[in-house]
Amino acid sequence: MAFQIKKDLHLNTGIYLKLLSDPTSAKVEKDNFDNERYTLPVEMIGHDITDGSGVKWFQNDKGEWIELKIGKQTDFEFSGALYKKLVGNSSGTTVQVMLKEINGEKGTYAGWSVTPMSGGNHPLEVLNNPKKVVSSNSLGITWGMCINNATQLVIKDMEDGVPIADQVEKIARELMDVAVNGLTRWEEDQIQKDQNDKSSEEKPNNEDVPF
């Protein structure tokens, strides 16, 4: 059974997926309402859930929830509205996909946010909500990359009289701010852009609500 992001289960929850194929190669079918539905293979990389569980997927014949766990590969089924946001992210890219509440002139509605994540297979934590975590080692990997880059910069241009460790940490902190907080700032800009685009429309696009 293909995984679907549903409003009643996943609203305002970041879900991090590695695309195992280019979105332009997704399988396309029509549902009972003649809406296009796309299917693409993905791998679950992480999510904004703090209790250690996976993301709710479907219920078995006993009514028990089957969860999509980190590292699981499956098909991902989604709407045409989300397809338009996924296009441009190539196979192997990790993206944060979120169905979120958006406040527009016509009221509150559900819309899609797709954020490409730096760091390859390891999504970065979204720091504007410190209670949410993506994976236990993602920020550690990012910090290590910043340390490596900072070390190279210090070697090329070392300050006299300042301990090397202090110089490396200072630059690493600045790089970390760009890598993590810069991503958050970029996402906020995209959300604001989406809100401005939506406010110029006569009414919300119903395609943004998948179910």
Side-chain angles (χ1 to χ4, degrees):
M1 178 180 295
F3 174 67
Q4 301 172 356
I5 296 178
K6 298 184 177 181
K7 184 177 179 180
D8 59 335
L9 299 177
H10 311 119
L11 185 65
N12 296 323
T13 299
I15 297 176
Y16 300 79
L17 302 172
K18 179 181 180 181
L19 307 182
L20 300 181
S21 183
D22 193 288
T24 56
S25 65
K27 180 180 177 181
V28 187
E29 295 180 333
K30 293 276 184 89
D31 63 16
N32 294 334
F33 301 98
D34 204 35
N35 296 316
E36 290 185 337
R37 302 293 299 175
Y38 296 77
T39 304
L40 189 75
V42 297
E43 179 181 343
M44 167 65 77
I45 298 298
H47 49 72
D48 292 343
I49 298 176
T50 60
D51 60 7
S53 64
V55 173
K56 286 185 177 179
W57 188 356
F58 62 91
Q59 288 179 292
N60 61 21
D61 53 6
K62 297 180 181 179
E64 300 168 333
W65 279 104
I66 305 301
E67 297 177 338
L68 185 60
K69 301 286 190 179
I70 293 176
K72 174 70 176 179
Q73 295 184 0
T74 187
D75 285 336
F76 176 40
E77 182 181 334
F78 49 93
S79 67
L82 180 53
Y83 171 78
K84 294 175 183 178
K85 291 183 176 286
L86 285 173
V87 167
N89 295 286
S90 60
S91 176
T93 300
T94 295
V95 295
Q96 181 205 61
V97 180
M98 184 185 296
L99 181 61
K100 60 174 62 178
E101 289 181 326
I102 298 176
N103 295 317
E105 291 185 353
K106 301 295 184 178
T108 301
Y109 60 96
W112 292 106
S113 169
V114 175
T115 305
M117 309 304 291
S118 61
N121 296 343
H122 305 279
L124 302 179
E125 185 174 9
V126 181
L127 292 185
N128 59 352
N129 190 342
K131 294 182 180 180
K132 294 183 177 182
V133 295
V134 175
S135 62
S136 60
N137 64 350
S138 61
L139 290 179
I141 292 172
T142 305
W143 176 250
M145 294 170 61
C146 291
I147 288 291
N148 290 338
N149 291 330
T151 301
Q152 296 301 317
L153 291 172
V154 169
I155 290 174
K156 292 180 180 179
D157 189 15
M158 189 176 301
E159 290 185 55
D160 293 334
V162 180
I164 293 178
D166 291 346
Q167 295 181 53
V168 170
E169 182 174 351
K170 177 183 177 182
I171 295 175
R173 284 177 176 271
E174 294 174 352
L175 294 175
M176 192 72 172
D177 177 70
V178 173
V180 181
N181 297 329
L183 177 63
T184 301
R185 292 189 289 268
W186 178 88
E187 183 187 39
E188 291 172 349
D189 289 342
Q190 298 307 304
I191 293 172
Q192 184 61 51
K193 180 178 180 299
D194 286 344
Q195 290 176 341
N196 293 339
D197 291 342
K198 291 297 182 182
S199 65
S200 65
E201 299 176 358
E202 293 183 359
K203 59 182 181 179
N205 184 351
N206 290 334
E207 280 190 318
D208 277 342
V209 183
F211 301 99

